[in-house]
Amino acid sequence: MCPHEPRCPSAEAPDREAARTVSAHPEQGWSLLCNGVVLFEDTGELLPSGAVIAPHRPTDVLVQSAA
């Protein structure tokens, strides 16, 4: 249960990464969010249900050259 006001997004919500960090371990590359999601440095996620969200860094960057 989230003790914050307003409440953090649930682990199933599309904006689940907006939950507050309750335990950060940057030396190991992960953080535990208030909603139970383990967020990895590479942007991958482990949900409380055991589901895995693959890393989702933006890789398709539109580069416009000056003409």
Side-chain angles (χ1 to χ4, degrees):
M1 285 293 195
C2 176
H4 305 115
E5 288 297 329
R7 296 179 84 71
C8 291
S10 73
E12 295 79 28
D15 61 343
R16 65 182 151 262
E17 295 174 14
R20 293 188 188 187
T21 300
V22 294
S23 183
H25 296 276
E27 72 284 359
Q28 296 177 356
W30 63 274
S31 296
L32 175 64
L33 304 182
C34 180
N35 55 10
V37 172
V38 177
L39 181 62
F40 294 97
E41 185 177 77
D42 69 355
T43 69
E45 301 172 26
L46 178 61
L47 304 183
S49 65
V52 175
I53 306 295
H56 47 278
R57 287 186 177 170
T59 57
D60 298 327
V61 179
L62 178 62
V63 178
Q64 294 180 348
S65 60

